[in-house]
Amino acid sequence: MPPLPMRVAFRSLHAVYGLLALSLSVGSLAAPAVAQTPAPAPRDAAGVGESPALDEHFREQRWSQAVDGYRRLVEAEPENARAWFRLGYALHALERWDEALECHEQAAVLPSPYQVVATYNAACARALRGEVDLALEWLERAIDSGFRKLDLLDSDPDLNNLRTDPRFKRLRAELVGLDAAVSALPCPAGHPGQFDFLVGRWRSRNWTRTPDGAWEEAGALVFDTRPVLGGEAIFTLAAGRLGDRDVQGLLLRHYDAERDRWITVKNWPDGKRAAFSAQTGCFRRGRAEFFSSFHTGRGGEPTQTRGTISDVGPDHLRMDSAVTTDGGRTWEPRVVYELERAPAAAAVEAAAHALGPAELVAARPPATGPEFRAFDFLLGEWRGERVAAACGTTTAVRASAEAILGGAALIVETRSEDEGLPVGTFEVLGYEPGGQRWVRYAVERGHSGLVRQEGRDRGDAPPVLTGRPGPGSGGSGCRQRWLEVTADRVVSTCERRAPGDDAWETCWRQELRRVR
């Protein structure tokens, strides 16, 4: 079928312009991909930024006027990724490939959510110039950065001179594999330490999707990440501004060697809810993808979420979150974070409303009810012994606990006084108001898998936390009990039972005394 006439083709692009983010719209003859991507908010009419008239030139496809306006804008604001992206698009629409390519490549290197689409558009411009090798290189970069529109890859006439090349067919086959469900993802073997590049302090610029489908810049966050248990897991605290809200959250990532999958546990309490969620995934070709299990969405449809990490460099990376309601055939982006590493020795300033380092531990308390205080007896520094039931071995241990997320959760670290012994636990405990339950996620040194346990508040006594199956769970056959609790002494046990067995057997018993 011959391609649509140019004017009709661009009208079809305009019709879908507001529907997609971080993915590409319907292609057309000589038309680069348009994405509804997050962008720096235009300045007011009195400033230098994009004026309503310039925006209208672009929306109405008055390409010559758009080129003139966006060229002036990038001269005044050379770091404005949105302006470079739109200038490249307008030049591409005018079939001025050489000038368009320069703009596409500039938008592709500036840190912003336009990078994926701009990288794809650079591949198109290279292909139209007859530069097959370079076009395929840029197309591979686009896929590695997150390009997932198989329908556009198959239909875009800009790529016609690439389709018979075996390298194009390989890239297409790879993209088909990336569109598969998480269970079918061909993950390479993972290993502890694979996400150590996240360790340190990062600042982010955020973009969120509004109810009408548009994107807007939405504040900034500070992420503080450190390894735990000698690198068997990494833990992140985050705080700052997202949209019109001050937010804080945690992420715990652990490599499960038995399943050869990474598990990410998240909690972003907001005062009304403080629910944990888990995703599993892997790192593939420089891009990490984590998927939740399917759950029932607000409209009753099966819903799945996906988190990705991409564009990883020594001092920058990108994270985004998306949701699907059609089994993974299409994904709707929700939030995008562009992260830059903070100077190692510098204090973190309040950048664009981001909270400082002190607030990473205790921001404005979102959790003040007595139900959140059930495990406050653990706060502080402790020393004691852990006795293994099977062999009677006694290990001297040191433990510490601190409140995080304004009291919505605690982190507890237990380690052997002798660093050479494989004894240690890192745990996160938090109360979920919606389920009226306490939840514990724990990583044990030398043990594969992330243990998930939960229990109800028992008033004067600490909850008994019992394992539950599910994403990130170490199975249902384990529980944690606190037998004695005073101001200066805590006795607890870890117990397990075999499947189908009602009897619990003690794995270890631990007695801690407060350090004054």
Side-chain angles (χ1 to χ4, degrees), residues 37-386:
T37 46
R43 301 182 185 181
D44 60 38
V48 179
E50 182 175 2
S51 67
L54 180 53
D55 180 66
E56 183 178 354
H57 286 325
F58 187 86
R59 286 188 290 105
E60 295 302 320
Q61 301 144 34
R62 296 193 286 264
W63 304 121
S64 295
Q65 294 96 319
V67 166
D68 293 340
Y70 283 111
R71 197 179 296 281
R72 288 193 295 270
L73 185 52
V74 298
E75 290 173 356
E77 301 180 21
E79 301 300 312
N80 189 327
R82 173 187 174 96
W84 281 109
F85 178 84
R86 285 192 161 192
L87 176 58
Y89 183 91
L91 289 165
H92 201 122
L94 293 172
E95 301 186 16
R96 293 159 62 175
W97 316 129
D98 294 347
E99 297 169 88
L101 176 61
E102 179 183 355
C103 300
H104 294 330
E105 293 185 350
Q106 183 67 21
V109 298
L110 287 172
S112 84
Y114 287 103
Q115 288 177 293
V116 175
V117 184
T119 302
Y120 172 84
N121 286 345
C124 291
R126 292 282 185 186
L128 290 165
R129 284 159 46 109
E131 299 169 349
V132 173
D133 291 344
L134 288 172
L136 289 166
E137 286 182 19
W138 279 87
L139 185 58
E140 185 168 13
R141 290 187 201 178
I143 292 173
D144 287 346
S145 299
F147 172 72
R148 294 294 181 271
K149 291 294 290 181
L150 182 63
D151 56 346
L152 182 59
L153 192 74
D154 287 341
S155 63
D156 194 338
D158 286 1
L159 305 179
N160 281 347
N161 64 339
L162 306 183
R163 291 198 169 87
T164 58
D165 193 295
R167 293 169 292 178
F168 180 88
K169 295 178 180 179
R170 175 183 60 80
L171 290 173
R172 185 189 182 282
E174 180 179 310
L175 190 56
V176 171
L178 288 171
D179 278 346
V182 64
S183 59
L185 280 174
C187 286
H191 56 83
Q194 199 170 20
F195 284 88
D196 281 359
F197 63 86
L198 292 172
V199 172
R201 183 161 289 160
W202 301 77
R203 299 188 185 103
S204 77
R205 294 175 65 191
N206 315 323
W207 286 265
T208 58
R209 197 171 190 181
T210 61
D212 62 359
W215 285 86
E216 62 183 9
E217 192 166 359
L221 295 173
V222 174
F223 293 82
D224 203 9
T225 301
R226 62 185 176 92
V228 296
L229 298 182
E232 293 191 21
I234 58 173
F235 179 69
T236 301
L237 281 175
R241 189 84 173 168
L242 185 61
D244 59 356
R245 298 178 295 127
D246 288 329
V247 298
Q248 48 196 321
L250 67 84
L251 299 96
L252 176 62
R253 293 183 172 92
H254 172 62
Y255 177 65
D256 185 339
E258 291 184 359
R259 300 171 62 192
D260 194 17
R261 285 290 192 275
W262 277 86
I263 302 168
T264 297
V265 173
K266 302 183 290 183
N267 194 344
W268 292 82
D270 63 6
K272 297 179 181 178
R273 58 183 177 83
F276 286 92
S277 61
Q279 296 176 320
T280 61
C282 65
F283 211 107
R284 184 180 184 278
R285 291 184 60 85
R287 174 184 171 89
E289 292 186 327
F290 294 89
F291 297 81
S292 72
S293 58
F294 279 92
H295 59 276
T296 302
R298 294 179 180 178
E301 69 281 356
T303 301
Q304 187 182 33
T305 59
R306 181 188 69 191
T308 62
I309 303 174
S310 60
D311 301 337
V312 178
D315 299 311
H316 62 85
L317 59 90
R318 166 199 178 106
M319 297 192 296
D320 59 77
S321 177
V323 64
T324 181
T325 56
D326 58 11
R329 289 187 295 275
T330 60
W331 290 90
E332 178 186 347
R334 294 291 179 85
V335 187
V336 174
Y337 310 91
E338 292 287 340
L339 280 72
E340 292 187 358
R341 188 180 297 278
V348 178
E349 302 88 0
H353 305 293
L355 303 182
E359 287 81 358
L360 288 171
V361 176
R364 286 184 290 278
T368 56
E371 64 274 15
F372 288 94
R373 308 279 73 85
F375 285 98
D376 279 5
F377 65 86
L378 290 173
L379 296 175
E381 299 288 330
W382 304 81
R383 296 180 108 160
E385 298 83 29
R386 178 181 292 187

Side-chain angles (χ1 to χ4, degrees), residues 12-20 25 34-37 55 58-59 82 85-86 114:
S12 69
L13 281 167
H14 176 63
V16 300
Y17 180 82
L19 299 180
L20 301 175
S25 68
V34 175
Q36 183 204 340
T37 46
D55 180 66
F58 187 86
R59 286 188 290 105
R82 173 187 174 96
F85 178 84
R86 285 192 161 192
Y114 287 103

